[in-house]
Amino acid sequence: MSIQPDSASPQPLRDAAPTADEARCVRLPAVHLVLSDALCQPLIADYGRAQTLAAARVLLAELRADMLARGADTSGHASQSSAVTVPELIPLLAQRLKAANTSNLRPVFNLSGTVLHTNLGRALLPDSAVQAVVDALRWPMNLEWDIDTGKRGDRDNLVEQQILELTGAEAATVVNNNAAAVLLMLSTLAAGRDAIVSRGELVEIGGAFRIPDIMTRAGATLREVGCTNRTHLKDYAEAIEAHTGLLLKVHCSNYAITGFTKTVELPELVPLARQHKIPMAVDLGSGTLVDLEQYGLPHETTVRETIEAGADLVTFSGDKLLGGPQCGIIVGRADLIAKIKKNPLKRALRVGKLTLAALEPVLALYRAPDLLPERLTTLRLLTRPAAHMRAQAEAILPVLQAALGADYTVTAEAMMSQIGSGALPVEQLPSYGLVIRASSARISNALGALEKRLRDLPVPVIGHIAQDALWLDLRCLQEPQQERFVQQLQQLQQPAP
Ligand SMILES: *Cc1c(COP(=O)(O)O)cnc(C)c1O
């Protein structure tokens, strides 16, 4: 690990006007005197001797260079360089070591208005899953070991039964994410063959997941049919040949095609696939396991509906609407899943014990669908009534306004949240939050500066700028975290230098 030199110049340590000699001869303690000082011992205890020594060397070198630069100042101003004592150095050293040892992966407040935000880690997990992951980190686990027989087992067995109950499928397997699920499915069933997809469904999900590229990597040939806005059953029928490996339907995540459109729905396509004995696959994207309409959300096709409509294989994500850990789940016909599990790629794409530890308790929550909005964090956030966010907005507004002062005006306003991660891309959820506007147009880049100040807080606050305002959607500010959020707002009072 390296301790990066701080770009900001160190504060002058003393103000005494130096002699010309002093300016030339910079006086800093030798590094061994810093390390052996009693004040340095707590740092050595925390960070180890080697790391503390390395950081002290870098710090001293920077101070020396800085002081020499000041001493060499030809402007005739008094140099500020002078002797530095160990007690003056230790706090600087402690600060350096602390900064270098802060995690790069940190909690943030997601006030972006997007609940399943891919860049912020998508679904938040319920406590039962959190506890299971903690146990899996601390204990050996029967990951691939059957406790009943005392023999080697299969990690998919830990969750397969639950997935089958929830989807009505014959078999299931779990991999690293849905992109991996699609890749594995195509590589198993369409390598060296054609996979037929409608031109209206050649999706790019973002983060370089494009159906055509995945096809190439899987060794499958993409056979595009129809047009962007309209695809007919006969387009599929005409494309089927001896070397067709798969018919694939892809969920229109992130976009909607409206206007003069025609897509071939699954129930129409299934008989064609059956007739030619070609597997019918569906990349569903969000793994919706229950009808969301019962919770007042828009309808999203569930995995069970897709299986019931005759899909032979369905792929979906674990960390989108399902509300679990990052993973990709493939369900479907037992013979096809068995083939997929034998593909050597499955070994490369498999999930680890932390994922399975988190997934099992999340799936278990679905056994009580009536309690799901309380228990499944993602669903709780998606179904929060706007009145809750409004109460939060009104409570936080005076604190935020006081912290920001007269340069900004804060109001509590209605706004719309998005589900995110491609789930129901056109649907929005009524929400409430805080809107910050610059009081005067004179302050150049006032919103950009404020957005940065919010990001610089101990727990960075992520909002979004639109229509000359900074929007903080409070849907994802969970009530137990509100106090922490409010507390750190005080720190906004000192604008960043
Ligand atoms: C999100 C999505 C993917 C990618 O899933 P990841 O879990 O992000 O790998 C693939 N296909 C569709 C249709 C999606 O919506």
Side-chain angles (χ1 to χ4, degrees), residues 122 177-179 205 209 250-251 253 283 285 317 319-320:
R122 291 193 188 157
N177 56 13
N178 188 35
I205 307 294
F209 177 89
V250 183
H251 182 266
S253 298
D283 173 16
S317 295
D319 54 352
K320 294 185 181 172

Side-chain angles (χ1 to χ4, degrees), residues 270-320:
V270 165
L272 184 69
R274 295 261 160 88
Q275 184 193 332
H276 291 89
K277 298 195 163 42
I278 300 164
M280 178 71 236
V282 179
D283 173 16
L284 209 49
S286 307
T288 316
L289 295 177
V290 286
D291 183 358
L292 294 175
E293 258 173 307
Q294 64 185 300
Y295 310 116
L297 292 170
H299 184 79
E300 169 89 351
T301 309
T302 65
V303 181
R304 181 182 285 278
E305 285 166 350
T306 311
I307 290 288
E308 281 171 358
D312 295 306
L313 287 171
V314 184
T315 64
F316 53 98
S317 295
D319 54 352
K320 294 185 181 172

